[in-house]
Amino acid sequence: MSLADLDRVAVSASADDADFMAAALSLGRRVLGRAAPNPAVGAIVVRDGIIVGRGWTRDGGRPHAETEALDDAGAAARGAIMYVGLEPCSHHGRTPPCADAIIAAGIARVVSALEDPDPRVAGRGHARLREAGIEVLTGIGAEGARRANLGHILRVTEGRPMVTLKLAETADGFAAGGEHDKRLAITGPAANARVHVMRAMHDAIMVGIGTARADDPLMTVRLPGMEDIKPLRVVLDYRLEVSPRSRLASTARDYPTLVIAAEDAPLEAERALAGTGIEVARIPAHESARLELRIALAVLAQRGITRVFSEGGPRVAKELIGAGLADEVAIFTAPKPFGAKGVPVLAPAARRKLGDGAHYTLADDSFAGPDRLRRYNRVL
């Protein structure tokens, strides 16, 4: 039996394993949006049924969760069990392998939710632990770990970050009014605060040029205590039409901002934006005069981005869902209708795909104040 086969065999799982793994995954989620380019992992050390050590990936991806948990546990780690949301690394990077640290600490049993698809690890961490005589159990909490680490997984397997698509609609399904109507204030304070929390859990916030021009957004996290959280602001702008006088430009020296444009977009426009502190990345032009989203996302992945929060409006939403690039979709629906002709939040084909169980599943249906929130997960 191969090591890969061993990973599929449930060996001596205790009744508490699922609960302790849930705690480890919860620790990892607290650093979503701040661990890139590494995955956001949580780990706990348990001895005689008591948690004696906790750790999670620190900002910027280091130190890793396992070494943090071992340091917290100290001598109590010897003979204990470690629960970790992703396979411990086995390669030398900026820090020594976590698998070696686990072995040196005298851990007797490791419960790991998921094998790391990173080719530098990919089962070697689990193998190293087994070779040292440590009992290894994998698969406990695998689905939750896969969702939490989806950005990391897609970055190393498909060369793109995961994408959360956020939309807000009136009760009758509109995202905006007519061409000359003022901007709609669709959701209330509770939903708006929820959006800021969601932004903070991603490495980048992305919009299209249409949204950037129509709304002149700040695309920042504005909640008390979160002032230092600054996801990369990304604008998909084929012809470099972002105004150097926009709020994005005027705040670019305080908040990192990237505009992705076609390779033949005007150089003078790039120079004007560069003067404000905005960085421009160029990708191949397309016959449709629109950016190829998969290539734009690859640019972000190459920069270490693992999680993107898209607030790009109906056109970007249609393209993300249609191309299978929207991994999570969050739709806030206000209780009041617009009551006039407006811009639909989703094209009919995109809404049909979202409701198709072969493509998406409804993960949550709840409320943020009076606004309804439905979250969908792409079927993996």
Side-chain angles (χ1 to χ4, degrees), residues 248-266:
L248 284 172
S250 66
T251 56
R253 298 199 186 280
D254 296 318
Y255 297 90
T257 307
L258 175 70
V259 174
I260 302 179
E263 57 189 0
D264 60 353

Side-chain angles (χ1 to χ4, degrees), residues 80-216:
I81 304 171
M82 172 174 282
Y83 294 83
V84 60
L86 190 67
E87 178 181 11
C89 65
S90 56
H91 63 285
H92 283 271
R94 294 183 184 176
T95 54
C98 289
D100 287 0
I102 292 170
I103 294 167
I107 290 288
R109 181 172 183 257
V110 172
V111 182
S112 170
L114 201 65
E115 182 178 295
D116 190 343
D118 188 328
R120 297 172 298 175
V121 186
R124 294 181 184 90
H126 291 153
R128 198 162 185 159
L129 297 174
R130 289 190 178 103
E131 289 165 1
I134 296 174
E135 179 188 357
V136 177
L137 171 64
T138 67
I140 302 296
E143 180 59 25
R146 189 172 291 110
R147 290 291 175 186
N149 292 292
L150 187 56
H152 167 70
I153 293 169
L154 290 174
R155 182 169 176 259
V156 300
T157 60
E158 297 186 17
R160 73 168 179 92
M162 69 81 68
V163 177
T164 298
L165 170 63
K166 170 260 171 181
L167 297 165
E169 64 177 357
T170 59
D172 45 0
F174 294 112
E179 183 178 354
H180 301 293
D181 290 343
K182 66 179 182 179
R183 180 185 176 188
L184 293 181
I186 296 175
T187 51
N192 294 341
R194 182 75 172 268
V195 169
H196 282 275
V197 172
M198 295 166 76
R199 287 177 179 176
M201 297 175 71
H202 292 75
D203 312 323
I205 303 168
M206 184 176 75
V207 300
I209 182 57
T211 297
R213 294 176 68 183
D215 296 347
D216 194 19

